[in-house]
Amino acid sequence: MDHMILGLLLLESRTIYQLRERIKKGMDLMYSGSMGSIQAAIKKLLNHGYIRYEESVENGKYKKIYTITDNGKRCFFKWVNSPFEMQNIKNPELVKVYFMGFSDKTSRRNNMEKYLFHLTKKYHALNAICEEAKNITITEENKDIIFYQLSAARYGRDFMKFNMEWYKKLMNEMV
């Protein structure tokens, strides 16, 4: 979460609410978009001197606008230029599938349909991002940045598609 926030602030200064909205729009596959996790990361980044904020009042509302510091930029660039780390891929829903034989048939089907509905909703959101990207004008300066951001969105979309197909197949095979 820390590096994602640094990267988002590298793109532009934002309030904590703008960070949350951006994370919810396709990035929540990478990290939780909960306000609690964002606030914890913000606090940690502030304590390390990687970000700072300016206070302002707009339309009578108090705002903190966060920006990345030079130390934050160094931290971010060190991280983004380091080798990938192998992460353990965990899917807690597979535990439920593993033990699904203990549930009744009606609950199995209903719960699977609800889960498939949420996967489909997420797929459409990510697909919309990918489709919108076809119409944006990309400057030479931002070409690499946009390419990799869209690659992450395509990964999320394709991952959702794989999951949708897998769960549909499972539903067809269910006894």
Side-chain angles (χ1 to χ4, degrees):
M1 174 65 78
D2 299 354
H3 294 107
M4 183 166 60
I5 289 174
L6 288 175
L8 289 172
L9 294 178
L10 188 63
L11 293 169
E12 67 179 292
S13 298
R14 301 169 196 252
T15 66
I16 198 166
Y17 299 103
Q18 290 170 326
L19 285 166
R20 186 179 83 195
E21 288 305 307
R22 180 60 190 99
I23 291 168
K24 285 170 90 176
K25 189 177 179 184
M27 297 182 84
D28 58 349
L29 287 174
M30 300 171 225
Y31 288 97
S32 166
S34 75
M35 190 56 91
S37 61
I38 295 169
Q39 287 173 331
I42 290 285
K43 184 177 180 181
K44 181 179 172 185
L45 293 169
L46 284 167
N47 288 338
H48 282 85
Y50 294 155
I51 63 173
R52 65 176 178 268
Y53 65 88
E54 292 181 14
E55 299 175 334
S56 70
V57 177
E58 256 181 51
N59 299 327
K61 291 186 179 185
Y62 173 75
K63 285 185 172 187
K64 286 184 180 179
I65 301 169
Y66 295 91
T67 57
I68 190 168
T69 64
D70 288 340
N71 284 339
K73 288 176 185 177
R74 280 190 285 280
C75 174
F76 177 81
F77 286 116
K78 180 180 177 186
W79 168 79
V80 81
N81 288 302
S82 67
F84 284 88
E85 294 177 29
M86 185 62 185
Q87 300 290 322
N88 290 329
I89 299 170
K90 294 177 175 66
N91 185 340
E93 292 306 317
L94 284 179
V95 174
K96 192 171 277 191
V97 171
Y98 184 84
F99 290 112
M100 198 168 271
F102 291 105
S103 69
D104 63 84
K105 290 182 180 186
T106 303
S107 293
R108 286 180 213 162
R109 183 151 303 276
N110 288 342
N111 291 333
M112 196 79 65
E113 286 172 353
K114 286 178 188 174
Y115 190 58
L116 195 52
F117 172 79
H118 291 293
L119 289 173
T120 303
K121 194 172 163 182
K122 185 56 122 178
Y123 169 82
H124 287 303
L126 290 164
N127 193 50
I129 292 169
C130 293
E131 290 300 315
E132 287 172 16
K134 292 177 182 177
N135 299 320
I136 63 171
T137 304
I138 302 171
T139 63
E140 190 62 33
E141 179 185 14
N142 292 329
K143 189 170 97 175
D144 286 348
I145 294 168
I146 300 297
F147 173 79
Y148 289 104
Q149 287 178 347
L150 291 175
S151 294
R154 286 194 316 268
Y155 172 87
R157 178 197 62 195
D158 295 348
F159 181 71
M160 287 299 116
K161 185 176 181 181
F162 167 80
N163 277 283
M164 290 164 46
E165 291 169 357
W166 192 88
Y167 279 98
K168 284 178 187 175
K169 182 179 177 192
L170 179 62
M171 285 179 65
N172 289 332
E173 296 171 343
M174 285 183 355
V175 290

